[in-house]
Short mmCIF file of all heavy atoms in Angstrom, two decimals:
data_model
loop_
_atom_site.label_atom_id
_atom_site.label_comp_id
_atom_site.label_asym_id
_atom_site.label_seq_id
_atom_site.Cartn_x
_atom_site.Cartn_y
_atom_site.Cartn_z
N ARG A 14 0.83 -1.17 0.00
CA ARG A 14 -0.03 -0.01 0.00
C ARG A 14 0.89 1.24 0.01
O ARG A 14 1.74 1.41 0.88
CB ARG A 14 -0.91 -0.01 1.25
CG ARG A 14 -1.67 1.22 1.55
CD ARG A 14 -2.25 1.13 2.93
NE ARG A 14 -2.91 2.35 3.35
CZ ARG A 14 -3.23 2.63 4.62
NH1 ARG A 14 -2.95 1.73 5.59
NH2 ARG A 14 -3.80 3.79 4.95
N GLU A 15 0.67 2.11 -0.96
CA GLU A 15 1.44 3.35 -1.04
C GLU A 15 1.16 4.25 0.18
O GLU A 15 0.01 4.38 0.58
CB GLU A 15 1.10 4.11 -2.34
CG GLU A 15 2.21 5.05 -2.84
CD GLU A 15 2.35 6.27 -1.98
OE1 GLU A 15 1.31 6.78 -1.47
OE2 GLU A 15 3.47 6.70 -1.71
N ASN A 16 2.17 4.76 0.78
CA ASN A 16 2.02 5.42 2.07
C ASN A 16 2.06 6.91 2.13
O ASN A 16 1.67 7.49 3.11
CB ASN A 16 3.13 4.85 3.05
CG ASN A 16 2.55 4.05 4.22
OD1 ASN A 16 1.37 4.04 4.43
ND2 ASN A 16 3.46 3.46 4.92
N THR A 17 2.64 7.56 1.16
CA THR A 17 3.00 8.93 1.27
C THR A 17 2.20 9.90 0.40
O THR A 17 2.28 11.11 0.55
CB THR A 17 4.51 9.16 0.98
OG1 THR A 17 4.79 8.73 -0.36
CG2 THR A 17 5.35 8.35 1.97
N GLU A 18 1.43 9.37 -0.57
CA GLU A 18 0.65 10.18 -1.47
C GLU A 18 -0.83 9.94 -1.29
O GLU A 18 -1.29 9.60 -0.17
CB GLU A 18 1.08 9.92 -2.93
CG GLU A 18 2.54 10.21 -3.21
CD GLU A 18 2.96 10.14 -4.66
OE1 GLU A 18 2.45 9.23 -5.36
OE2 GLU A 18 3.68 11.02 -5.07
N ASP A 19 -1.62 10.29 -2.31
CA ASP A 19 -3.08 10.06 -2.24
C ASP A 19 -3.68 10.94 -1.16
O ASP A 19 -3.11 11.96 -0.79
CB ASP A 19 -3.35 8.56 -2.00
CG ASP A 19 -4.74 8.16 -2.34
OD1 ASP A 19 -5.57 8.93 -2.82
OD2 ASP A 19 -5.07 6.93 -2.14
N CYS A 20 -4.78 10.56 -0.65
CA CYS A 20 -5.51 11.37 0.38
C CYS A 20 -4.66 11.57 1.67
O CYS A 20 -4.83 12.56 2.38
CB CYS A 20 -6.87 10.73 0.74
SG CYS A 20 -7.94 10.54 -0.59
N TYR A 21 -3.80 10.58 1.93
CA TYR A 21 -3.04 10.65 3.19
C TYR A 21 -1.91 11.66 3.19
O TYR A 21 -1.23 11.88 4.18
CB TYR A 21 -2.48 9.24 3.46
CG TYR A 21 -3.55 8.32 4.01
CD1 TYR A 21 -4.56 7.84 3.19
CD2 TYR A 21 -3.57 7.88 5.31
CE1 TYR A 21 -5.58 7.03 3.66
CE2 TYR A 21 -4.56 7.01 5.77
CZ TYR A 21 -5.51 6.61 4.93
OH TYR A 21 -6.54 5.78 5.42
N ALA A 22 -1.70 12.34 2.08
CA ALA A 22 -0.73 13.46 2.02
C ALA A 22 -1.31 14.65 2.86
O ALA A 22 -0.57 15.52 3.25
CB ALA A 22 -0.47 13.89 0.61
N GLY A 23 -2.61 14.59 3.10
CA GLY A 23 -3.16 15.56 4.06
C GLY A 23 -3.37 16.96 3.52
O GLY A 23 -3.34 17.93 4.26
N ILE A 24 -3.58 17.12 2.18
CA ILE A 24 -3.81 18.40 1.57
C ILE A 24 -5.30 18.67 1.46
O ILE A 24 -5.97 18.14 0.53
CB ILE A 24 -3.11 18.54 0.19
CG1 ILE A 24 -1.62 18.15 0.32
CG2 ILE A 24 -3.29 19.91 -0.32
CD1 ILE A 24 -0.97 17.97 -1.04
N GLU A 25 -5.86 19.35 2.38
CA GLU A 25 -7.28 19.63 2.32
C GLU A 25 -7.59 20.93 2.99
O GLU A 25 -6.82 21.45 3.86
CB GLU A 25 -8.08 18.52 2.92
CG GLU A 25 -7.79 18.21 4.37
CD GLU A 25 -8.72 17.15 4.90
OE1 GLU A 25 -9.63 16.70 4.23
OE2 GLU A 25 -8.61 16.83 6.12
N PHE A 26 -8.75 21.53 2.61
CA PHE A 26 -9.13 22.87 3.09
C PHE A 26 -10.62 22.83 3.56
O PHE A 26 -11.44 22.31 2.86
CB PHE A 26 -8.94 23.89 1.97
CG PHE A 26 -7.50 23.95 1.50
CD1 PHE A 26 -7.14 23.21 0.36
CD2 PHE A 26 -6.58 24.69 2.16
CE1 PHE A 26 -5.85 23.23 -0.05
CE2 PHE A 26 -5.24 24.69 1.72
CZ PHE A 26 -4.87 23.97 0.61
N GLU A 27 -10.84 23.35 4.72
CA GLU A 27 -12.16 23.28 5.37
C GLU A 27 -13.18 24.02 4.57
O GLU A 27 -12.94 25.06 3.96
CB GLU A 27 -12.09 23.87 6.78
CG GLU A 27 -13.29 23.65 7.62
CD GLU A 27 -13.11 24.12 9.04
OE1 GLU A 27 -12.07 24.75 9.34
OE2 GLU A 27 -14.05 23.91 9.86
N ALA A 28 -14.41 23.50 4.57
CA ALA A 28 -15.55 24.11 3.89
C ALA A 28 -15.76 25.57 4.41
O ALA A 28 -15.64 25.81 5.59
CB ALA A 28 -16.81 23.35 4.09
N GLN A 29 -15.99 26.49 3.45
CA GLN A 29 -16.26 27.91 3.76
C GLN A 29 -15.04 28.67 4.27
O GLN A 29 -15.16 29.82 4.71
CB GLN A 29 -17.46 28.04 4.68
CG GLN A 29 -18.74 27.48 4.08
CD GLN A 29 -19.92 27.63 5.03
OE1 GLN A 29 -19.89 27.18 6.17
NE2 GLN A 29 -20.98 28.22 4.56
N SER A 30 -13.86 28.00 4.29
CA SER A 30 -12.66 28.72 4.65
C SER A 30 -12.22 29.57 3.51
O SER A 30 -12.57 29.41 2.33
CB SER A 30 -11.51 27.74 5.02
OG SER A 30 -11.11 26.98 3.89
N GLU A 31 -11.36 30.60 3.78
CA GLU A 31 -10.88 31.46 2.75
C GLU A 31 -10.05 30.66 1.72
O GLU A 31 -10.09 30.97 0.53
CB GLU A 31 -10.01 32.60 3.36
CG GLU A 31 -10.86 33.64 4.11
CD GLU A 31 -11.91 34.29 3.22
OE1 GLU A 31 -11.58 34.64 2.04
OE2 GLU A 31 -13.07 34.35 3.64
N GLU A 32 -9.28 29.69 2.22
CA GLU A 32 -8.49 28.88 1.29
C GLU A 32 -9.33 28.11 0.33
O GLU A 32 -9.05 28.07 -0.91
CB GLU A 32 -7.57 27.95 2.10
CG GLU A 32 -6.55 28.60 2.97
CD GLU A 32 -7.11 28.99 4.33
OE1 GLU A 32 -8.28 28.94 4.59
OE2 GLU A 32 -6.24 29.42 5.17
N ALA A 33 -10.40 27.48 0.86
CA ALA A 33 -11.31 26.71 0.01
C ALA A 33 -12.00 27.62 -1.00
O ALA A 33 -12.11 27.24 -2.21
CB ALA A 33 -12.34 25.97 0.86
N LYS A 34 -12.42 28.79 -0.59
CA LYS A 34 -13.08 29.75 -1.48
C LYS A 34 -12.15 30.13 -2.61
O LYS A 34 -12.53 30.24 -3.81
CB LYS A 34 -13.52 30.94 -0.70
CG LYS A 34 -14.71 30.71 0.22
CD LYS A 34 -15.10 31.96 1.03
CE LYS A 34 -16.19 31.70 2.00
NZ LYS A 34 -16.50 32.91 2.81
N ARG A 35 -10.88 30.42 -2.26
CA ARG A 35 -9.88 30.83 -3.30
C ARG A 35 -9.65 29.73 -4.28
O ARG A 35 -9.57 29.97 -5.52
CB ARG A 35 -8.58 31.25 -2.58
CG ARG A 35 -8.65 32.56 -1.88
CD ARG A 35 -7.46 32.78 -0.94
NE ARG A 35 -6.21 32.70 -1.72
CZ ARG A 35 -5.02 32.66 -1.10
NH1 ARG A 35 -4.92 32.53 0.21
NH2 ARG A 35 -3.94 32.59 -1.83
N ILE A 36 -9.46 28.49 -3.80
CA ILE A 36 -9.22 27.36 -4.73
C ILE A 36 -10.39 27.12 -5.65
O ILE A 36 -10.25 26.88 -6.83
CB ILE A 36 -8.85 26.10 -3.92
CG1 ILE A 36 -7.45 26.28 -3.25
CG2 ILE A 36 -8.81 24.85 -4.80
CD1 ILE A 36 -7.10 25.20 -2.27
N ILE A 37 -11.62 27.17 -5.11
CA ILE A 37 -12.80 26.98 -5.87
C ILE A 37 -12.91 28.04 -6.97
O ILE A 37 -13.22 27.78 -8.13
CB ILE A 37 -14.06 26.90 -5.02
CG1 ILE A 37 -14.02 25.65 -4.20
CG2 ILE A 37 -15.33 27.02 -5.82
CD1 ILE A 37 -15.08 25.57 -3.09
N GLU A 38 -12.63 29.28 -6.57
CA GLU A 38 -12.66 30.38 -7.55
C GLU A 38 -11.65 30.18 -8.65
O GLU A 38 -11.97 30.37 -9.87
CB GLU A 38 -12.38 31.71 -6.83
CG GLU A 38 -12.48 32.91 -7.79
CD GLU A 38 -12.16 34.22 -7.09
OE1 GLU A 38 -11.80 34.22 -5.87
OE2 GLU A 38 -12.20 35.27 -7.73
N ILE A 39 -10.45 29.74 -8.30
CA ILE A 39 -9.42 29.51 -9.34
C ILE A 39 -9.89 28.36 -10.26
O ILE A 39 -9.73 28.45 -11.49
CB ILE A 39 -8.09 29.15 -8.66
CG1 ILE A 39 -7.47 30.38 -8.00
CG2 ILE A 39 -7.09 28.57 -9.67
CD1 ILE A 39 -6.32 30.09 -7.09
N LEU A 40 -10.41 27.32 -9.69
CA LEU A 40 -10.89 26.18 -10.52
C LEU A 40 -12.00 26.63 -11.47
O LEU A 40 -12.01 26.19 -12.64
CB LEU A 40 -11.41 25.05 -9.61
CG LEU A 40 -10.34 24.31 -8.77
CD1 LEU A 40 -10.98 23.36 -7.77
CD2 LEU A 40 -9.38 23.53 -9.67
N GLN A 41 -12.83 27.46 -11.00
CA GLN A 41 -13.98 27.89 -11.80
C GLN A 41 -13.56 28.92 -12.91
O GLN A 41 -13.94 28.75 -14.05
CB GLN A 41 -15.08 28.53 -10.99
CG GLN A 41 -15.82 27.48 -10.05
CD GLN A 41 -16.80 28.15 -9.12
OE1 GLN A 41 -16.57 29.26 -8.65
NE2 GLN A 41 -17.90 27.46 -8.85
N THR A 42 -12.76 29.88 -12.51
CA THR A 42 -12.41 30.98 -13.40
C THR A 42 -11.24 30.64 -14.36
O THR A 42 -11.21 31.06 -15.52
CB THR A 42 -12.10 32.25 -12.62
OG1 THR A 42 -10.96 32.03 -11.75
CG2 THR A 42 -13.32 32.73 -11.86
N GLN A 43 -10.24 29.91 -13.85
CA GLN A 43 -9.03 29.66 -14.67
C GLN A 43 -9.06 28.30 -15.33
O GLN A 43 -8.36 28.08 -16.38
CB GLN A 43 -7.79 29.81 -13.80
CG GLN A 43 -7.61 31.20 -13.22
CD GLN A 43 -6.30 31.37 -12.53
OE1 GLN A 43 -5.30 30.71 -12.83
NE2 GLN A 43 -6.27 32.29 -11.57
N PHE A 44 -9.82 27.32 -14.82
CA PHE A 44 -9.79 25.99 -15.38
C PHE A 44 -11.21 25.58 -15.85
O PHE A 44 -11.35 24.47 -16.38
CB PHE A 44 -9.31 24.99 -14.36
CG PHE A 44 -7.85 25.19 -14.01
CD1 PHE A 44 -7.49 25.92 -12.89
CD2 PHE A 44 -6.88 24.64 -14.78
CE1 PHE A 44 -6.16 26.08 -12.55
CE2 PHE A 44 -5.53 24.81 -14.44
CZ PHE A 44 -5.20 25.55 -13.35
N GLY A 45 -12.17 26.44 -15.78
CA GLY A 45 -13.49 26.17 -16.33
C GLY A 45 -14.18 24.99 -15.66
O GLY A 45 -15.08 24.34 -16.25
N VAL A 46 -13.88 24.73 -14.42
CA VAL A 46 -14.49 23.63 -13.66
C VAL A 46 -15.95 24.01 -13.29
O VAL A 46 -16.20 25.04 -12.67
CB VAL A 46 -13.72 23.29 -12.38
CG1 VAL A 46 -14.49 22.25 -11.49
CG2 VAL A 46 -12.36 22.76 -12.68
N ASP A 47 -16.90 23.17 -13.70
CA ASP A 47 -18.30 23.45 -13.43
C ASP A 47 -19.04 22.29 -12.75
O ASP A 47 -20.23 22.23 -12.72
CB ASP A 47 -19.07 23.83 -14.73
CG ASP A 47 -19.00 22.70 -15.77
OD1 ASP A 47 -18.44 21.61 -15.48
OD2 ASP A 47 -19.49 22.93 -16.91
N LYS A 48 -18.26 21.36 -12.19
CA LYS A 48 -18.83 20.19 -11.60
C LYS A 48 -18.85 20.20 -10.06
O LYS A 48 -19.17 19.21 -9.42
CB LYS A 48 -18.08 18.96 -12.09
CG LYS A 48 -18.28 18.68 -13.56
CD LYS A 48 -17.57 17.41 -13.98
CE LYS A 48 -17.79 17.14 -15.47
NZ LYS A 48 -17.07 15.93 -15.95
N ILE A 49 -18.49 21.34 -9.50
CA ILE A 49 -18.64 21.47 -8.07
C ILE A 49 -20.05 21.95 -7.78
O ILE A 49 -20.39 23.11 -7.95
CB ILE A 49 -17.61 22.49 -7.50
CG1 ILE A 49 -16.19 22.07 -7.87
CG2 ILE A 49 -17.74 22.61 -5.96
CD1 ILE A 49 -15.13 23.07 -7.43
N ARG A 50 -20.90 21.03 -7.34
CA ARG A 50 -22.34 21.35 -7.28
C ARG A 50 -22.67 22.35 -6.22
O ARG A 50 -23.60 23.18 -6.41
CB ARG A 50 -23.11 20.02 -7.00
CG ARG A 50 -24.59 20.12 -7.19
CD ARG A 50 -25.27 18.80 -7.08
NE ARG A 50 -24.91 17.90 -8.17
CZ ARG A 50 -25.45 17.90 -9.36
NH1 ARG A 50 -26.43 18.77 -9.66
NH2 ARG A 50 -25.05 17.04 -10.30
N PHE A 51 -21.98 22.33 -5.11
CA PHE A 51 -22.27 23.32 -4.01
C PHE A 51 -21.02 24.05 -3.61
O PHE A 51 -20.41 23.81 -2.59
CB PHE A 51 -22.87 22.55 -2.80
CG PHE A 51 -24.07 21.75 -3.10
CD1 PHE A 51 -24.01 20.34 -3.18
CD2 PHE A 51 -25.27 22.40 -3.35
CE1 PHE A 51 -25.13 19.61 -3.44
CE2 PHE A 51 -26.40 21.65 -3.68
CZ PHE A 51 -26.38 20.23 -3.71
N PRO A 52 -20.55 24.98 -4.50
CA PRO A 52 -19.29 25.66 -4.27
C PRO A 52 -19.21 26.44 -2.96
O PRO A 52 -18.14 26.61 -2.40
CB PRO A 52 -19.14 26.54 -5.48
CG PRO A 52 -20.55 26.69 -6.04
CD PRO A 52 -21.20 25.42 -5.71
N GLU A 53 -20.32 26.95 -2.52
CA GLU A 53 -20.29 27.80 -1.28
C GLU A 53 -20.02 27.01 -0.02
O GLU A 53 -19.53 27.58 0.94
CB GLU A 53 -21.67 28.53 -1.17
CG GLU A 53 -21.99 29.50 -2.29
CD GLU A 53 -20.99 30.59 -2.44
OE1 GLU A 53 -20.49 31.10 -1.38
OE2 GLU A 53 -20.64 30.94 -3.60
N THR A 54 -20.28 25.74 -0.05
CA THR A 54 -20.12 24.94 1.18
C THR A 54 -19.23 23.71 0.94
O THR A 54 -19.25 22.78 1.78
CB THR A 54 -21.50 24.47 1.70
OG1 THR A 54 -22.16 23.64 0.69
CG2 THR A 54 -22.37 25.66 2.06
N SER A 55 -18.48 23.71 -0.11
CA SER A 55 -17.61 22.56 -0.38
C SER A 55 -16.25 22.65 0.29
O SER A 55 -15.59 23.69 0.19
CB SER A 55 -17.39 22.38 -1.87
OG SER A 55 -18.55 21.89 -2.52
N ALA A 56 -15.86 21.59 1.04
CA ALA A 56 -14.49 21.48 1.41
C ALA A 56 -13.71 20.97 0.20
O ALA A 56 -14.29 20.36 -0.74
CB ALA A 56 -14.33 20.49 2.56
N ILE A 57 -12.42 21.19 0.15
CA ILE A 57 -11.59 20.83 -0.98
C ILE A 57 -10.39 19.96 -0.51
O ILE A 57 -9.69 20.36 0.44
CB ILE A 57 -11.08 22.06 -1.76
CG1 ILE A 57 -12.23 22.75 -2.41
CG2 ILE A 57 -10.06 21.67 -2.78
CD1 ILE A 57 -12.90 21.97 -3.59
N GLY A 58 -10.18 18.83 -1.19
CA GLY A 58 -9.01 18.01 -0.93
C GLY A 58 -8.24 17.85 -2.24
O GLY A 58 -8.79 17.78 -3.33
N VAL A 59 -6.89 17.73 -2.14
CA VAL A 59 -6.05 17.54 -3.27
C VAL A 59 -5.40 16.19 -3.19
O VAL A 59 -4.92 15.77 -2.07
CB VAL A 59 -4.95 18.64 -3.35
CG1 VAL A 59 -4.06 18.40 -4.59
CG2 VAL A 59 -5.57 20.04 -3.44
N LYS A 60 -5.38 15.44 -4.23
CA LYS A 60 -4.91 14.06 -4.29
C LYS A 60 -3.68 13.94 -5.16
O LYS A 60 -3.77 13.79 -6.34
CB LYS A 60 -6.02 13.16 -4.81
CG LYS A 60 -5.73 11.69 -4.94
CD LYS A 60 -6.88 10.98 -5.66
CE LYS A 60 -6.63 9.55 -5.97
NZ LYS A 60 -6.74 8.69 -4.81
#
C-alpha cells in the first residue's frame, strides 16, 4: 500500500474557509470547472 501520497498526504481545506473559497474560484475561473455542485459549502482536498 502506497504510504505517502493520495489522500493521506493531508492536503485539504475546510468548507467555507478562505483557502477553500480561493481554490474553488481558481478552479472555476481559470480552469473552467463546473462540476462542483455546491461551491459555497464545499471542502476541498487535493490528491
Side-chain angles (χ1 to χ4, degrees):
R14 169 192 174 195
E15 205 289 321
N16 243 352
T17 60
E18 298 189 320
D19 199 2
C20 302
Y21 285 69
I24 307 169
E25 59 175 358
F26 303 95
E27 189 176 5
Q29 299 180 305
S30 67
E31 288 302 314
E32 295 85 352
K34 290 177 182 177
R35 287 167 57 192
I36 290 172
I37 290 170
E38 183 182 3
I39 290 171
L40 291 172
Q41 291 175 326
T42 59
Q43 298 187 28
F44 294 95
V46 173
D47 59 3
K48 294 182 180 179
I49 303 174
R50 190 173 296 277
F51 302 107
E53 297 299 320
T54 59
S55 288
I57 292 290
V59 180
K60 177 186 174 77

